[in-house]
């Protein structure tokens, strides 16, 4: 590892002509040495080496929820994350009589903390190590499906060896297009409970109207607690379990941040596309994203219409709708941002420099030219299929059909040795499969599922016949959608029946009279053939892209620029400063304040803050949480830190590694940063720790939790 850091530091470079801004980058802990001086110059007061050591705080306090980020804020397993990251658990536990989604939730004691939604986990980072040699062993001379299978076998073996340690969840991810591979090891905590979430009028204040917007006044925070067995081992929910004792937790800063302050964020960013080729960017922005935006808009509008006036249905589809609306608005922002910064043209210009660099040297042309030509061809093939894939994906809108396909695939995979099963269908995945089947019961209404499927089918059927699924069309001939949901043989709409199918063999599926299972059986062979074609292509892509990335690393090294890999769900940290910006002649100051909540408050819909909060703000009862330089209570603030989806819930730290808030959003014109970071427009929105603590003390009376975090209430 040390050799990699020293010899590889100059190779980890970003292949762009412009110098990388200090605020850009989702850095691996192992890259700390390469950027230590830049971080110190930016204002870091910690020893930079601490950010490269997963056995020392602050990184030992960082956790993942398997889709959002989080961190421990107490020695008793208290986990801070975003309100929207616990929305699924609020929804799952809500009913018209106890509407936690709207009214919030506060456990008076440990005994009152309630189980999170099935499948909820807290993952505690333990290790992130380079396993490139082991992953690529035996793959060098292979192509296509053979290469794919070798890489998958190597990955399975590495994960299996790692997970021989009890209660560990391990994964191997590709970096730089498969030029490198790293294994991430985490402790998996299975008993996760809701401790506190403010009302929707705090945690989702402004709703979809304010999503991705500034100024923002959203208290997007909430708390889970991680529990383990009395002996400290990870265990499923039990009344005998006790709070988890983390190796470290983040101290709460006694002084909040000010404009210009250094801050950093640690978390698990999901996916960025900055290292994709220009033709991929063109396709996404000119073809795929516009289509997806239209479909998501229609999908969200349909759910709104179908749930209108029905509180139980509204609760059931709340988490689904929030995800749809969030992604639709993000795509809209990406399209607008791409136009604003001429993304495609910039990518093409930057890539032209890289291609010219290869052509300028016969040795480089011989080494990399064929791989680049091959990658261009493969990308063209993938692009030609992607829109059709999106339309075929509309069939997944039915939760019943989706469950049937998963269960039948599960049955087929169980007939194989565990090591030969497809990822997601191994014994290590049984709990997630079970809990996914359980979640449907709180997120499913038959008539709504039927209407959504009918709408998805109509879109799918706009495909020409040669792009449709032959086996699906053949089965549906002469059948209408209503007959599936009204069939007396339907079993999958019952949770106990769904779970029972997990232990049934293939022949029982083939003999079933459940219409959704019959459809899953009828379409299985064609789906597997399509998957096999995808694996063949994936093997070719990995070989070509990893070679092209080798060239890009060399090109960047020749320019002396520090490079980071695209985000892929693994632990990263990023740093920047608290600052606003100028937008179209307007000045965005870096902080919003409590008075803005009163200004926006209407008492209804998305702008309905709790009455007690409004009263306290009008009385200027801010206690110890007011910012002296602002003369009032800060709510949210802007920074230049570089984040993306998956960073939701990431703790924001000051220069000393103390907790000063949670990252929860970006601004609409800056979401194009998934493809290209632009320091002029990129901003991250954080909820200020002072607003969190004030809300907990003054509005909701969460004194028990404040004391636990070492914060003395007035």
């Amino acid at each position: 590892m040390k050799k990699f850091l020293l010899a590889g530091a100059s190779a980890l470079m970003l292949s762009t002509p412009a110098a990388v801004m200090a605020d850009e980058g989702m850095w691996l802990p192992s890259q700390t040495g390469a950027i230590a001086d830049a971080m110190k110059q930016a204002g870091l007061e910690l020893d930079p080496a601490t950010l490269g050591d997963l056995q020392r705080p602050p990184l030992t306090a960082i956790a993942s929820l398997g889709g959002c980020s989080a961190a421990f804020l107490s020695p008793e397993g208290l986990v801070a994350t975003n309100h929207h990251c616990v929305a699924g658990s609020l929804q799952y536990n809500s009913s018209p009589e106890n509407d936690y989604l709207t009214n919030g939730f506060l456990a008076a004691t440990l005994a009152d903390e309630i189980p999170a939604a099935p499948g909820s986990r807290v993952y505690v980072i333990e290790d992130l190590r380079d396993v490139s040699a082991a992953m690529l062993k035996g793959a060098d001379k292979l192509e296509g499906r053979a290469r794919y299978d070798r890489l998958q076998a190597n990955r399975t073996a590495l994960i299996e060896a790692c997970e021989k340690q009890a209660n560990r969840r391990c994964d191997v991810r590709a970096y730089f297009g498969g030029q490198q591979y790293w294994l991430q090891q985490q402790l998996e905590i299975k008993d996760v409970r809701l401790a506190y979430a403010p009302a929707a009028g705090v945690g989702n204040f402004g709703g979809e109207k304010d999503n991705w917007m500034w100024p923002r006044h959203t208290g997007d925070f909430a708390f889970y607690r991680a529990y383990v067995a009395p002996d400290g081992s990870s265990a499923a929910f039990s009344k005998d379990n006790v709070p988890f004792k983390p190796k470290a937790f983040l101290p709460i800063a006694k002084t909040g941040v000010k404009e210009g302050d250094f801050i950093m964020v640690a978390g698990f960013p999901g996916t960025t596309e900055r290292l994709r080729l220009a033709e991929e960017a063109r396709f996404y922005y000119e073809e795929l994203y516009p289509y997806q935006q239209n479909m998501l808009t229609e999908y969200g509008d349909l759910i709104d219409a179908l749930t209108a006036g029905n509180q139980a249905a509204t609760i059931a589809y709340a988490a689904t709708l929030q995800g749809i609306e969030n992604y639709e608005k993000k795509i809209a922002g990406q399209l607008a941002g791409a136009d604003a910064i001429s993304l495609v043209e910039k990518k093409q210009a930057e890539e032209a420099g890289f291609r010219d660099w290869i052509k300028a040297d016969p040795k480089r042309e011989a080494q990399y030219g064929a791989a680049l030509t091959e990658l261009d061809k493969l990308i063209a093939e993938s692009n030609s299929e992607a829109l059709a894939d999106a339309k075929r994906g509309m069939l997944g809108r039915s939760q019943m059909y989706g469950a049937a396909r998963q269960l039948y695939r599960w049955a087929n995979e169980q007939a194989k040795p565990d090591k030969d099963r497809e990822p997601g269908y191994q014994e290590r995945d049984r709990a997630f499969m079970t809990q996914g089947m359980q979640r449907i019961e709180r997120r499913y209404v038959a008539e709504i599922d039927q209407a959504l499927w009918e709408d998805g089918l109509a879109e799918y059927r706009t495909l020409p016949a040669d792009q449709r699924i032959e086996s699906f069309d053949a089965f549906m001939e002469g059948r209408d959608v209503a007959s599936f949901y009204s069939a007396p043989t339907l079993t999958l709409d019952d949770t106990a029946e769904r779970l029972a199918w997990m232990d049934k063999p293939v022949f029982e599926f083939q003999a079933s009279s459940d219409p959704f299972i019959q459809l899953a059986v009828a379409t299985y062979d064609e789906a597997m053939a399509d998957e096999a074609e995808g694996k063949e292509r994936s093997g070719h892509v990995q070989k070509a892209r990893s070679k092209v990335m080798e060239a890009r690393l060399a090109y960047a090294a020749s320019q002396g620029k520090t490079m980071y890999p695209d985000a892929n769900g693994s632990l990263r940290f990023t740093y920047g400063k608290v600052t606003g910006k100028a937008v179209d002649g307007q000045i965005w100051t870096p902080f919003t304040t409590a008075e803005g909540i009163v200004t926006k408050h209407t008492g209804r819909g998305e702008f309905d803050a709790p009455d007690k909060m409004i009263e306290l703000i009008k009385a200027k009862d801010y206690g110890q949480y007011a910012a002296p330089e602002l003369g009032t209570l800060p709510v949210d603030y802007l920074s230049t830190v570089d984040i993306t989806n998956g960073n939701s819930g990431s703790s924001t730290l000051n220069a000393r590694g103390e907790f000063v808030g949670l990252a929860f959003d970006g601004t609409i014109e800056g979401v194009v940063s998934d493809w290209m970071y632009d320091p002029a427009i990129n901003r991250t929105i954080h909820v200020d720790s002072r607003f969190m603590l004030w809300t907990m003390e003054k509005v909701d009376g969460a004194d028990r939790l404040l004391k636990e975090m070492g914060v003395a209430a007035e």
Side-chain angles (χ1 to χ4, degrees):
M1 183 66 71
K2 290 181 178 179
K3 181 178 179 182
F4 170 78
L5 285 172
L6 294 173
S10 62
L12 294 173
M13 302 293 183
L14 182 64
S15 52
T16 58
V20 174
M21 300 298 295
D23 300 336
E24 179 183 349
M26 300 177 190
W27 304 100
L28 289 165
S30 59
Q31 293 182 281
T32 305
I35 60 171
D37 290 344
M39 293 187 74
K40 294 292 285 186
Q41 291 172 11
L44 178 67
E45 296 178 21
L46 291 175
D47 178 356
T50 63
L51 298 176
D53 189 345
L54 294 179
Q55 306 309 313
R56 299 166 63 184
L59 292 188
T60 44
I62 304 303
S64 168
L65 304 180
C68 282
S69 301
F72 292 103
L73 292 193
S74 88
E76 298 298 317
L78 192 65
V79 177
T81 189
N82 285 158
H83 187 277
H84 72 262
C85 294
V86 308
S89 292
L90 292 169
Q91 177 272 329
Y92 185 83
N93 285 287
S94 287
S95 65
E97 297 74 32
N98 291 297
D99 188 356
Y100 300 135
L101 265 173
T102 301
N103 303 321
F105 174 80
L106 175 63
T109 67
L110 282 175
D112 296 310
E113 295 176 353
I114 57 177
S120 297
R121 296 287 191 273
V122 171
Y123 297 100
V124 185
I125 188 70
E126 293 182 329
D127 195 10
L128 186 61
R129 58 184 180 271
D130 188 345
V131 292
S132 301
M135 266 297 294
L136 295 169
K137 185 177 181 180
D140 186 54
K141 296 180 180 179
L142 300 179
E143 309 257 352
R145 180 62 187 270
R147 187 180 182 91
Y148 177 93
D149 287 344
R150 169 54 62 186
L151 290 171
Q152 188 57 54
N154 290 345
R155 178 178 181 271
T156 298
L158 285 164
I159 291 172
E160 182 181 15
C162 180
E163 291 186 352
K164 285 181 179 177
Q165 305 169 88
N167 305 313
R168 294 318 189 266
R169 191 74 178 180
C170 305
D171 195 14
V172 176
R173 300 170 191 258
Y175 297 75
F176 300 111
Q179 213 272 330
Q180 297 175 11
Y181 289 89
W182 292 62
L183 184 146
Q184 182 167 267
Q185 176 182 312
Q186 296 170 303
L187 172 67
E188 178 183 13
I189 298 177
K190 303 170 186 175
D191 186 353
V192 182
R193 305 184 199 179
L194 267 172
Y196 166 61
V202 178
N204 194 32
F205 185 78
E208 192 53 39
K209 185 173 182 179
D210 271 8
N211 189 23
W212 303 104
M213 305 304 288
W214 188 262
R216 195 74 173 272
H217 297 83
T218 308
D220 199 346
F221 71 96
F223 290 89
Y224 278 143
R225 191 183 303 278
Y227 282 78
V228 292
D231 64 1
S233 64
S234 179
F237 174 84
S238 168
K239 62 181 180 60
D240 297 324
N241 286 352
V242 298
F244 172 67
K245 306 285 188 183
K247 290 183 179 179
F249 60 92
L250 300 177
I252 310 299
K254 298 187 184 304
T255 304
V257 293
K258 305 185 298 297
E259 183 173 5
D261 277 0
F262 172 96
I263 59 170
M264 53 189 170
V265 162
F268 297 81
T271 305
T272 56
E273 317 291 353
R274 295 178 190 174
L275 299 179
R276 283 185 180 261
L277 296 188
E279 175 55 21
E280 293 175 284
R282 185 211 61 75
F283 169 74
Y284 271 77
Y285 279 91
E286 294 182 5
E287 300 182 54
L288 186 59
Y289 281 159
Y291 175 77
Q292 289 179 329
Q293 184 192 15
N294 289 335
M295 290 300 99
L296 288 167
T297 300
E298 293 177 9
Y299 193 21
D301 289 346
L302 182 57
I303 291 177
D304 275 332
L306 292 169
T307 58
N310 184 332
Q311 186 184 10
T314 298
I315 290 172
Y317 283 85
T320 301
L321 185 60
Q322 186 175 13
I324 291 167
E325 291 178 337
N326 185 61
Y327 192 48
E328 184 277 327
K329 196 166 186 178
K330 178 178 181 179
I331 290 177
Q334 286 181 311
L335 292 170
D339 286 341
I341 67 171
S342 301
L343 170 72
V344 174
E345 292 80 1
K346 283 184 178 178
K347 292 284 286 185
Q348 289 170 338
E350 292 171 1
E351 192 172 298
F354 165 61
R355 290 174 183 265
D356 288 345
W357 176 79
I358 291 177
K359 292 177 182 177
D361 185 319
K363 184 181 291 186
R364 289 196 292 263
E365 177 65 33
Q367 189 173 4
Y368 303 121
L372 187 54
T373 299
E374 175 70 0
L375 185 58
D376 288 338
K377 178 177 76 73
L378 292 166
I379 286 170
E381 292 173 359
S382 296
N383 289 351
S384 69
E385 285 290 316
L387 282 175
D389 283 342
K391 290 193 177 187
R392 289 188 285 261
M394 295 293 174
L395 301 180
R397 285 188 176 179
S398 166
Q399 294 188 71
M400 292 295 96
Y401 182 39
R405 294 175 68 187
Q406 272 193 293
L407 288 166
Y408 188 52
R409 179 67 181 274
W410 178 266
N412 277 275
E413 295 293 336
Q414 298 314 293
K416 307 173 187 176
D418 191 64
K419 67 181 180 62
D420 295 332
R421 296 173 191 168
E422 196 70 17
Y425 295 92
Q426 295 175 295
E427 196 57 36
R428 69 195 288 266
D429 304 304
R430 176 176 286 273
F432 292 100
M433 183 76 170
T434 300
Q435 291 156 346
M437 292 296 145
Q438 290 174 326
R439 281 196 299 271
I440 293 173
E441 69 180 349
R442 305 286 179 88
R443 299 181 181 182
Y444 170 79
V445 178
E447 57 269 25
I448 294 177
D449 199 70
Q450 177 181 327
L452 295 175
W453 200 34
E454 287 174 335
D455 187 68
L457 273 169
E459 179 62 20
Y460 158 75
R461 285 170 175 156
T462 64
L463 282 169
D466 64 347
Q467 292 185 0
R468 285 161 60 167
I469 302 169
E470 184 178 348
S471 56
F472 181 89
D473 291 348
F475 187 90
M476 295 297 290
E477 186 70 32
R479 290 180 170 92
D480 62 22
V481 169
S483 69
F484 282 75
Y485 292 87
S486 62
T489 54
L490 175 61
T491 61
L492 293 180
D493 59 348
D494 179 81
T495 299
E497 291 279 3
R498 278 196 308 278
L499 294 176
W501 278 108
M502 284 190 63
D503 295 313
K504 294 183 180 181
V506 169
F507 74 85
E508 289 198 39
F509 283 82
Q510 294 171 344
S512 173
S513 55
D514 183 303
F516 286 105
I517 290 176
Q518 289 180 331
L519 178 57
V521 171
T523 56
Y524 182 78
D525 287 345
E526 187 174 358
M528 292 302 96
D530 288 343
E531 184 176 292
E533 289 182 14
K535 290 177 177 179
E536 173 77 17
R537 181 181 295 142
S538 179
H540 289 301
V541 169
Q542 191 278 340
K543 184 170 186 178
R545 198 184 290 274
S546 62
K547 192 67 176 179
V548 170
M549 281 307 310
E550 180 185 322
R552 294 185 72 175
L553 288 164
Y555 172 60
S558 71
Q559 297 180 316
K561 298 169 190 160
T562 305
M563 187 179 192
Y564 53 89
D566 266 319
N568 60 1
S570 63
L571 179 65
R572 308 292 180 92
F573 69 89
T574 177
Y575 66 96
K577 65 179 181 179
V578 177
T579 187
K581 68 174 181 175
V583 182
D584 292 332
Q586 301 178 1
I587 301 298
W588 284 4
T589 56
F591 288 91
T592 56
T593 63
E595 286 73 20
I597 296 175
V598 175
T599 301
K600 288 183 176 180
H601 175 73
T602 63
R604 59 185 182 276
E606 297 172 313
F607 296 97
D608 186 13
D611 292 340
K612 186 174 183 180
M613 175 173 282
I614 297 300
E615 292 170 5
L616 289 165
I617 294 171
K618 287 182 176 179
K620 299 190 180 300
D621 185 358
Y622 303 137
Q624 62 184 317
Y625 305 111
E629 65 279 3
L630 298 175
T632 186
L633 176 69
V635 178
D636 297 329
Y637 58 89
L638 288 174
S639 82
T640 57
V641 297
D642 188 2
I643 69 168
T644 188
N645 288 8
N647 273 120
S648 290
S650 295
S651 287
T652 307
L653 312 178
N654 62 17
R656 297 176 296 280
E658 299 166 334
F659 180 83
V660 290
L662 294 166
F664 71 91
D665 209 355
T667 56
I668 191 67
E669 68 283 353
V671 295
V672 71
S673 65
D674 278 3
W675 288 79
M676 179 178 286
Y677 181 97
D678 188 320
I681 65 172
N682 191 81
R683 292 294 183 275
T684 290
I685 305 175
H686 312 249
V687 58
D688 196 298
S689 57
R690 290 165 289 193
F691 182 71
M692 293 172 58
L693 301 174
W694 175 81
T695 302
M696 294 174 74
E697 177 187 338
K698 300 284 188 177
V699 180
D700 289 333
D703 294 346
R704 175 178 71 92
L705 300 182
L706 290 171
K707 182 178 180 181
E708 183 180 328
M709 294 188 295
V711 178
E714 289 189 334

